Amino acid sequence: MIKYRFYPTLLNVFSRYLAGGNFSQQQLLDTINRVPTPTTAAQERGVRFEDAVVKGEQEERFSADILEKFRRYLPRPIVETQVYCQYEIDDVLFYGYVDLIGKFKAVDIKTTASYQHPRYTFNHQNLYLHALKKRGIRLMEYLITDFKDVYVESYSLTHPIEKQLEEIRLFKQFLEEHRELITDPKIFVNPE
């Protein structure tokens, strides 16, 4: 029986919190509770870049060379964009949207100011693969640009996910310990 609903961004933020970086418990709680925050210029640029790559919108805002190089890595044909995924992991419904899928691979478009390989080894979006395997998807690719070059990280269905599963277990524990501070009604599934 499903007791929790989690999406990759939430789990990736929890992962950052566990790593002990400059991410406070309050920031984590704000993310869990979906406290609105202003969109940053970098986030806006990332959205516009994805629209330029996939939809051809406002391409003039970006380097034609980077757009061309980036598009070479896209699946042919693109079967679907903004594909909803869900995957049950014990008592968790994991859900979200992957940017696009081809016949055999899912692709997520990433922009960054600075890239170091490998960046997405333990990203919770890798779990999309398990949600999409019934559709024949066997590869999760991250296409990344720092607006100077294009990078690719690929993960197959056989890529280990133990770290992500452990973080999901720890996140459930965190939620239960702080349940009175959780206001997002979508996190906990109320028994009917």
Side-chain angles (χ1 to χ4, degrees):
M1 185 165 90
I2 299 298
K3 294 168 67 175
Y4 306 92
R5 289 188 200 102
F6 301 157
Y7 51 95
T9 303
L10 181 62
L11 293 166
N12 288 331
V13 165
F14 182 66
S15 186
R16 282 177 50 203
Y17 171 76
L18 288 177
N22 58 349
F23 208 81
S24 71
Q25 181 173 304
Q26 187 57 55
Q27 288 172 300
L28 174 60
L29 289 166
D30 287 349
T31 301
I32 293 167
N33 291 322
R34 298 179 190 242
V35 173
T37 57
T39 301
T40 67
Q43 289 168 330
E44 180 68 23
R45 188 176 189 200
V47 169
R48 294 295 148 243
F49 182 77
E50 183 178 330
D51 288 345
V53 168
V54 177
K55 301 174 186 172
E57 295 177 358
Q58 298 181 21
E59 293 175 305
E60 68 281 356
R61 293 179 64 171
F62 304 99
S63 158
D65 291 340
I66 291 295
L67 286 170
E68 180 185 335
K69 188 173 182 181
F70 205 91
R71 287 178 175 139
R72 280 188 227 141
Y73 292 103
L74 294 176
R76 299 275 183 245
I78 294 174
V79 174
E80 198 175 335
T81 60
Q82 293 303 306
V83 180
Y84 179 75
C85 304
Q86 70 177 39
Y87 179 53
E88 289 185 23
I89 305 163
D90 298 323
D91 57 355
V92 172
L93 179 67
F94 171 84
Y95 70 96
Y97 289 87
V98 68
D99 290 335
L100 55 96
I101 59 170
K103 288 184 179 177
F104 304 106
K105 72 177 176 180
V107 173
D108 205 73
I109 296 170
K110 302 288 189 188
T111 58
T112 184
S114 172
Y115 175 73
Q116 287 188 321
H117 183 83
R119 186 170 183 167
Y120 298 99
T121 303
F122 300 112
N123 192 297
H124 286 271
Q125 284 178 291
N126 291 342
L127 297 173
Y128 284 156
L129 262 177
H130 299 275
L132 292 167
K133 69 181 172 186
K134 62 184 173 279
R135 292 186 68 171
I137 304 299
R138 299 286 177 255
L139 192 67
M140 178 73 195
E141 276 192 352
Y142 297 91
L143 298 184
I144 309 129
T145 187
D146 56 7
F147 303 102
K148 296 181 218 87
D149 206 349
V150 176
Y151 313 92
V152 179
E153 288 187 34
S154 299
Y155 300 96
S156 71
L157 266 169
T158 58
H159 182 74
I161 58 171
E162 286 77 19
K163 184 176 190 305
Q164 288 96 323
L165 296 177
E166 175 62 10
E167 287 180 353
I168 287 171
R169 188 189 68 73
L170 292 171
F171 188 53
K172 290 191 299 186
Q173 184 179 330
F174 177 89
L175 290 172
E176 292 301 338
E177 290 170 1
H178 298 86
R179 195 174 187 118
E180 72 283 356
L181 301 174
I182 309 301
T183 59
D184 180 2
K186 292 183 179 179
I187 296 287
F188 298 108
V189 176
N190 296 324
E192 303 288 322

